[in-house]
Amino acid sequence: MSILSFQLNAASLPQVSSVTVKTRAPQNELVTVWYRIPKNYHPRQGQMSRVLVLFGGRNSSGKDMASGRLGWGKWADDNNAFLVSPGFKDDNYWEPEKWSGRALLNALEQIRKRYNICTDKLLFYGYSAGSQCSNLFPAWRPQLTRAWVSHACGVFHEPTARMRFVAGLVTCGDADHARYVISRNFVENCRKKGTNIIWRSFPNHPHDVSPDSLRLAREFLTYYHKACSADLTGRNSRRNDIPVYPYIGDDQEGVFYRADSPKAKNILPEDRVLLPALSIALAWGEAE
């Protein structure tokens, strides 16, 4: 009985494995892409599992991130999601159109042949050099992206109408001076072109990953994962309707209001943060 119990428990534990992809990039002839299977995954489950692609710091091996670093393991188990993290190195890997984008898609296809995962409505998260990937990859293939998060980023895509219906979150510590300015300018450029990007800075934080930024990222990705659960049925569920934002944040004050509040209407356009759900709003700031 004890042996059977051990086997059942072992079967429910999350597993970390990898696939390899060949490329023509000089420093990446053979790339290892790591992935983590959520603990409650079942091969005959009724719907596909979501994929969260994680990009760590520059030249990350991918294994630590795929193993659930920074609390992503618990998030993945709670949402029956696969974590996928590539071990790209150099060769301008944050520019997906050159080689790394195809390498990631090839790796996802290998994993899909083994497990019932959704590979056309992906979530992305990255910090530092990884944050460059987590917005440049969605901009390369927006039709394959559900939502993305970039923290402490120094390189962004050029905002276009193609990204208008792909949810994005940008965060940065205000003591990370150069990246803070770059991030803020990117968000402003997006808004001018009609694309809503949720923006949040964190006082006195240098180039680090703060717990509050992670909390906001997880609430943001959870919302879009659950709100778009039809993605996982295999039916076409891309939402191109005009989104609704019931809460409005004041970037200068770090507080949010109901959208129909007179105070919300008085927030300057450049300081307005449009928030789609209370769970995101509470992780973003204080309620007023």
Side-chain angles (χ1 to χ4, degrees), residues 106-119:
N106 288 344
L108 289 171
E109 180 60 20
Q110 287 189 50
I111 299 169
R112 189 189 66 79
K113 290 178 179 178
R114 304 178 187 179
Y115 301 97
N116 188 19
I117 62 171
C118 177
T119 58

Side-chain angles (χ1 to χ4, degrees), residues 82-97:
F82 277 61
L83 303 181
V84 174
S85 188
F88 298 145
K89 291 179 174 60
D90 301 322
D91 295 323
N92 293 341
Y93 65 82
W94 49 89
E95 299 177 355
E97 68 278 4

